[in-house]
Amino acid sequence: MSCPAGAIRVIKKFHAHSQKEGAGFIVRRPIGGSSLSDQEADPFLLLDELPRTNYAPGEFPGAPWHPHRGFDTVMYMKEGRGDHEDS
């Protein structure tokens, strides 16, 4: 199947599922897990969204120490303020 010049062909769509992470905060994860083959996620790929939530300073439950081997964490915020530390 060909696409017109300049068009981008969609090869896969994802639906986000919600799950608990860390000390109990909820993330929506559209990319990561069994929906990707090893070839599609090589070496490693996750995309998590933390739903819009208001936490008082020091209230966010966080996550216990966990290693990140061979990949980096990127955090972006659409609005508000936040700090992120990771291993």
Side-chain angles (χ1 to χ4, degrees):
M1 185 168 141
S2 64
C3 294
I8 298 173
R9 185 171 63 97
V10 175
I11 58 171
K12 192 166 195 173
K13 293 182 181 182
F14 298 91
H15 296 283
H17 64 276
S18 295
Q19 67 184 57
K20 286 187 176 183
E21 286 290 329
F25 59 93
I26 303 295
V27 298
R28 290 174 35 84
R29 181 169 290 161
I31 299 177
S34 61
S35 62
L36 287 175
S37 69
D38 289 345
Q39 292 79 23
E40 292 170 314
D42 186 29
F44 193 83
L45 179 64
L46 287 175
L47 176 63
D48 290 347
E49 174 195 3
L50 181 64
R52 184 181 207 160
T53 309
N54 291 318
Y55 290 104
E59 186 181 57
F60 184 72
W65 186 90
H66 55 284
H68 285 199
R69 297 179 210 138
F71 68 96
D72 289 320
T73 299
V74 176
M75 176 182 167
Y76 69 92
M77 298 185 68
K78 294 180 181 178
E79 64 181 78
R81 297 182 327 167
D83 291 323
H84 182 259
E85 265 184 53
D86 220 322
S87 54

